[in-house]
Amino acid sequence: EPEVTQTPSHQVTQMGQEVILRCVPISNHLYFYWYRQILGQKVEFLVSFYNNEISEKSEIFDDQFSVERPDGSNFTLKIRSTKLEDSAMYFCASSRTGYTEAFFGQGTRLTVV
Amino acid sequence: GIQVEQSPPDLILQEGANSTLRCNFSDSVNNLQWFHQNPWGQLINLFYIPSGTKQNGRLSATTVATERYSLLYISSSQTTDSGVYFCAVERGSSNTGKLIFGQGTTLQVKP
């Protein structure tokens, strides 16, 4: 069964460092997303991406965040200068269209120290 | 924006018991999904159910879109059902796929 895969599963980084979280969406999906979940809280939308551009982003997704689809299979989230409050589980998701079922990867747990 | 409220926030059951989880939303939706977050943090798809009723084994779900709520039924609960259950919706006027999650229901099933 096709699935969304994310790497790495865990990442520890120092405050101020840049991190890149990677995702391989399901191959015939056209919409890609990043969400985050701070420990013990609900899942929050960060950004949606379609046709090689951002289609919607949240207030959380400020200038320190960027997304890219560098090739036909990968989808990345870059955090330029990490802060302690960026520590969270980051989920990548994909869907065929903008209102069909979304499937989530297993998550990347980011810890900023 | 659209509000998503789940109840109850916490639920403790004995193994074998049945339960109903509720999700209320404040606007029309074109997507509603139920997820189970397991102890490892993974979000497992349970149902894609913007309207109607679906069943999958011991789980079933019903969404009454006109009344803006969805119910998730768990029958004959097992300890492996423990975890957090999230409802997530996409508002009807959106086509970007953005899902808004509720706060979740934390279920503990005791042996």
Side-chain angles (χ1 to χ4, degrees), chain B residues 1 6 10 14 17 44-45 48 56 58 61 66 76 78 83 93-94 106:
Chain B
Q6 292 185 241
D10 301 283
Q14 286 298 130
I44 309 300
N45 286 40
Y48 167 73
N56 184 5
R58 296 182 295 104
T66 53
S76 304
Q78 301 175 357
S93 58
S94 167
T106 301

Side-chain angles (χ1 to χ4, degrees), chain A:
Chain A
E1 184 174 318
E3 60 181 13
V4 177
T5 58
Q6 291 185 240
T7 55
S9 54
H10 294 88
Q11 180 150 4
V12 180
T13 189
Q14 289 200 325
M15 192 168 51
Q17 295 296 303
E18 175 183 287
V19 296
I20 298 177
L21 310 183
R22 303 180 191 278
C23 168
V24 179
I26 295 173
S27 62
N28 64 347
H29 285 185
L30 301 178
Y31 287 73
F32 315 117
Y33 315 92
W34 285 100
Y35 291 80
R36 80 172 186 188
Q37 184 182 30
I38 295 171
L39 187 64
Q41 298 186 19
K42 68 177 181 180
V43 180
E44 300 175 290
F45 169 81
L46 291 178
V47 65
S48 61
F49 190 86
Y50 168 70
N51 199 26
N52 278 321
E53 61 183 22
I54 291 174
S55 50
E56 187 169 359
K57 61 182 180 179
S58 71
E59 293 177 353
I60 303 168
F61 194 88
D62 61 23
D63 291 344
Q64 70 163 338
F65 292 94
S66 62
V67 290
E68 190 179 28
R69 187 154 164 84
D71 53 41
S73 59
N74 291 285
F75 180 52
T76 62
L77 174 69
K78 181 190 290 187
I79 309 175
R80 288 191 183 81
S81 179
T82 50
K83 305 171 188 172
L84 294 176
E85 54 264 38
D86 294 327
S87 295
M89 179 79 97
Y90 288 81
F91 291 102
C92 174
S94 69
S95 63
R96 287 189 63 198
T97 72
Y99 49 86
T100 52
E101 187 174 9
F103 293 86
F104 283 68
Q106 81 278 19
T108 293
R109 185 168 299 282
L110 176 66
T111 301
V112 182
V113 297

Side-chain angles (χ1 to χ4, degrees), chain B residues 8 10 51 64 66 68 82:
Chain B
D10 301 283
S51 64
V64 184
T66 53
R68 298 181 182 170
S82 296

Side-chain angles (χ1 to χ4, degrees), chain B residues 48-111:
Chain B
Y48 167 73
I49 189 165
S51 64
T53 297
K54 291 186 177 180
Q55 181 155 6
N56 184 5
R58 296 182 295 104
L59 303 182
S60 64
T62 295
T63 297
V64 184
T66 53
E67 297 188 20
R68 298 181 182 170
Y69 73 88
S70 183
L71 302 174
L72 177 69
Y73 304 97
I74 305 174
S75 64
S76 304
S77 57
Q78 301 175 357
T79 56
T80 52
D81 295 331
S82 296
V84 184
Y85 290 80
F86 287 105
C87 166
V89 305
E90 179 183 6
R91 72 179 194 276
S93 58
S94 167
N95 64 353
T96 64
K98 172 184 175 181
L99 288 174
I100 304 298
F101 281 72
Q103 294 280 6
T105 291
T106 301
L107 174 64
Q108 182 182 0
V109 181
K110 295 187 171 183

